[in-house]
Amino acid sequence: MELNKLDAIDMQLLDSLQHDASLSNVALADKVNVSPPTCLRRVKRLADGGWIERQIAVLNADQLGTSLGHGLSALVEVSLDKQGAEHLDTFEARAVAHTAVQQCWRVSPGPDFMLVVQAHDMPHYLAISQALFTQDANVRNVKAFFATKRAKFTTTWPLSK
């Protein structure tokens, strides 16, 4: 099978794994009705083909908040002064390298970037903003929105019908 083509079993495997990557190979094989060796071979092919980017544990924000403090979640619009490819690439590299930046999106129209930033508190956010948005970062405008409630969060793609 070509690496850029997915069949129904591949889609079932991806859908199952994105909901629970801790399933054993035997349980996953049973769930999609294939043998364990076939399942293992297909999952390896999907990973080698780049369909599975990585397997991680998604931490519970409320549990962490109770233990560590809830902190601040900010959605930040960033507009650059100069939008040439090298300027966009430079800012993107700066944002992606910062550990407080959970997501970095180039967007259009409107601002050049949307960032999701997680800070411990407002002084920490100030330090992050100074590191990311100073004049040498070619930033023209920053607009931050601070989350008051997370109503939904998911990492899943709608693969099953």
Side-chain angles (χ1 to χ4, degrees):
M1 171 185 268
E2 295 178 43
L3 282 179
N4 62 349
K5 304 256 183 182
L6 298 176
D7 65 15
I9 292 172
D10 292 328
M11 294 297 282
Q12 289 175 356
L13 286 168
L14 290 172
D15 192 51
S16 294
L17 287 170
Q18 75 173 343
H19 285 92
D20 185 1
S22 70
L23 289 172
S24 70
N25 183 59
V26 172
L28 184 60
D30 187 50
K31 191 169 184 173
V32 300
N33 298 314
V34 296
S35 70
T38 297
C39 181
L40 191 61
R41 187 174 56 254
R42 281 180 172 257
V43 170
K44 181 177 179 351
R45 184 179 45 78
L46 289 167
D48 291 347
W51 294 100
I52 300 171
E53 188 172 327
R54 60 189 165 144
Q55 293 184 17
I56 61 168
V58 177
L59 306 181
N60 183 306
D62 291 331
Q63 293 275 87
L64 284 172
T66 300
S67 178
L68 303 174
H70 286 282
L72 296 172
S73 296
L75 290 86
V76 184
E77 293 181 357
V78 179
S79 298
L80 300 183
D81 192 36
K82 299 174 187 152
Q83 284 91 15
E86 68 281 358
H87 299 293
L88 293 165
D89 290 344
T90 298
F91 179 81
E92 181 178 294
R94 178 184 290 223
V96 168
H98 201 291
T99 57
V101 176
Q102 292 182 319
Q103 296 180 43
C104 175
W105 297 83
R106 281 194 197 184
V107 295
S108 180
D112 298 305
F113 290 91
M114 286 293 300
L115 307 178
V116 176
V117 176
Q118 188 65 41
H120 302 294
D121 52 26
M122 193 54 78
H124 185 222
Y125 178 78
L126 176 61
I128 295 164
S129 66
Q130 288 173 337
L132 291 176
F133 313 135
T134 58
Q135 190 170 10
D136 67 320
N138 184 37
V139 174
R140 180 184 65 221
N141 190 39
V142 175
K143 190 173 185 180
F145 302 89
F146 295 97
T148 57
K149 178 184 176 187
R150 182 174 80 174
K152 181 179 180 179
F153 172 80
T154 185
T155 60
T156 60
W157 287 78
L159 298 180
S160 61
K161 295 179 181 171

